[in-house]
Amino acid sequence: MASKVWKKLLFIILVIACLFNITLKLVQRNSFKDELQSSAQYVQNLVQE
């Protein structure tokens, strides 16, 4: 009986942790403009060398 309770509790904690991780990844994404600027700067540095 106790093992079923622990299994459900740990499963709920796992689901919450996964949702929290996905939310953080979506919130902390770099903007597309920033990505393009950094890529352009990298290419310019390669051309200058």
Side-chain angles (χ1 to χ4, degrees), residues 1-7:
M1 184 72 179
S3 64
K4 289 183 181 182
V5 173
W6 277 108
K7 187 182 275 188

Side-chain angles (χ1 to χ4, degrees), residues 4-47:
K4 289 183 181 182
V5 173
W6 277 108
K7 187 182 275 188
K8 287 182 182 180
L9 181 66
L10 291 176
F11 181 72
I12 291 171
I13 291 173
L14 177 66
V15 169
I16 291 172
C18 289
L19 290 175
F20 187 73
N21 188 20
I22 291 170
T23 304
L24 281 178
K25 286 182 180 181
L26 288 175
V27 169
Q28 293 180 352
R29 283 189 353 194
N30 292 335
S31 70
F32 186 67
K33 183 179 178 182
D34 292 340
E35 291 293 332
L36 285 178
Q37 286 177 343
S38 65
S39 297
Q41 184 66 36
Y42 175 74
V43 170
Q44 283 180 345
N45 289 343
L46 285 178
V47 169

